[in-house]
Amino acid sequence: MSEPAVFAENQEGAAPVLVLCDHATNRVPPCVNGGSLGICAADMNRHIAFDIGALAVARLLAATLDAPLLATNFSRLVIDPNRGEDDPTLLMKLYDGTIIEGNRHADATEKQRRLDAFHRPYHNAISARLEAWLNAGITPAVISIHSFTPQLRGRGPRPWHIGVLWDEDRRMAQPLIEQLSENPALVVGSNEPYAGSYHGDTMYFHATRRGLPQVLIELRNDLIETEAGQAQWAGVLAPVLSNILKGLD
């Protein structure tokens, strides 16, 4: 039996909070080019294939907050779940200097097959979870955990330890930025290293359009590549997020 496209963990969690990890793993399912995209192991272990350390932090946060977790079980290079279906970067053929051989000849039919097999099941699972709360008269919050590389090829170093991304709704992002910035040792980015206002991305599609409180957190991946770093950052974030969530009630 093939593995599912989505990890669904702690689904009995009591908190009306959904923790997401869009780029959880570098797994290439066997049905995609026999389980290989034709690039070397070193590249498959880079940020181009998944968000290093993000899944572990997301799991720790979900456990601490007693919240359900949904995460992908396929590499972003198979198809990127944090992109709208019409986004030109949905199925990457060149990423940060690496040619993705297994995607070079992927046509419209192959794109649709991967949407059906991976992208849509993930988003359907998110919608089902959120709608169950909303139908019960509960307004959930959404927290998405990502990581970013300290430096893209040919570009300058990124100074931030953590980025807090937001779109139209700053109910969670603003207090998170403020409270993290109280630590003088942390460099906190507001909508850095990416903007949080892409209208095809996961948070816009599921949280912004539903009017739900939300925040997307980007952690620099060299800070969370070890278990110790993952535990440290989960420990930094969990109490702050817990207080913010209580303030939403």
Side-chain angles (χ1 to χ4, degrees):
M1 181 181 294
S2 62
E3 294 187 46
V6 186
F7 291 119
E9 300 180 358
N10 199 32
Q11 294 305 290
E12 302 306 315
V17 179
L18 183 59
V19 178
L20 300 176
C21 191
D22 292 334
H23 301 142
T25 175
N26 60 356
R27 174 177 173 264
V28 180
C31 66
V32 178
N33 297 307
S36 171
L37 290 173
I39 62 178
C40 67
D43 276 334
M44 284 303 300
N45 284 304
R46 291 206 299 133
H47 68 96
I48 64 171
F50 72 125
D51 281 359
I52 296 164
L55 177 59
V57 175
R59 282 174 161 156
L60 290 168
L61 281 176
T64 304
L65 298 173
D66 195 21
L69 166 72
L70 291 174
T72 56
N73 191 24
F74 55 91
S75 171
R76 67 191 300 171
L77 295 179
V78 170
I79 197 158
D80 196 330
N82 195 35
R83 299 289 185 272
E85 293 192 7
D86 60 350
D87 193 297
T89 64
L90 181 70
L91 202 160
M92 295 290 281
K93 301 186 178 185
L94 174 68
Y95 195 171
D96 195 24
T98 296
I99 295 171
I100 316 304
E101 290 289 346
N103 291 345
R104 288 182 69 185
H105 303 294
D107 57 14
T109 299
E110 176 62 10
K111 175 182 171 182
Q112 286 299 316
R113 189 182 73 83
R114 295 191 198 181
L115 282 167
D116 287 338
F118 308 110
H119 191 282
R120 289 170 182 152
Y122 178 59
H123 288 283
N124 289 343
I126 296 171
S127 289
R129 193 56 161 126
L130 295 176
E131 288 300 321
W133 274 316
L134 291 168
N135 290 338
I138 298 168
T139 301
V142 185
I143 299 170
S144 185
I145 304 299
H146 288 246
S147 71
F148 64 96
T149 187
Q151 186 171 6
L152 292 169
R153 289 178 174 174
R155 301 188 188 182
R158 290 164 158 174
W160 311 282
H161 300 109
I162 182 171
V164 179
L165 276 56
W166 50 274
D167 189 358
E168 301 167 5
D169 189 331
R170 301 183 70 173
R171 281 177 286 177
M172 295 186 68
Q174 189 60 40
L176 182 57
I177 293 167
E178 291 172 356
Q179 292 180 49
L180 290 173
S181 297
E182 291 174 1
N183 184 342
L186 291 184
V187 180
V188 181
S190 175
N191 271 344
E192 298 286 359
Y194 310 104
S197 55
Y198 294 115
H199 284 187
D201 67 9
T202 299
M203 296 300 273
Y204 177 82
F205 191 81
H206 293 287
T208 300
R209 296 199 316 167
R210 289 182 170 96
L212 302 180
Q214 60 178 285
V215 67
L216 190 154
I217 297 168
E218 289 270 4
L219 293 162
R220 209 175 70 203
N221 65 26
D222 61 320
L223 303 177
I224 58 168
E225 60 187 353
T226 65
E227 289 186 9
Q230 293 152 9
Q232 178 184 352
W233 275 96
V236 168
L237 290 169
V240 180
L241 288 169
S242 182
N243 287 334
I244 292 170
L245 290 164
K246 289 175 183 175
L248 296 174
D249 294 339

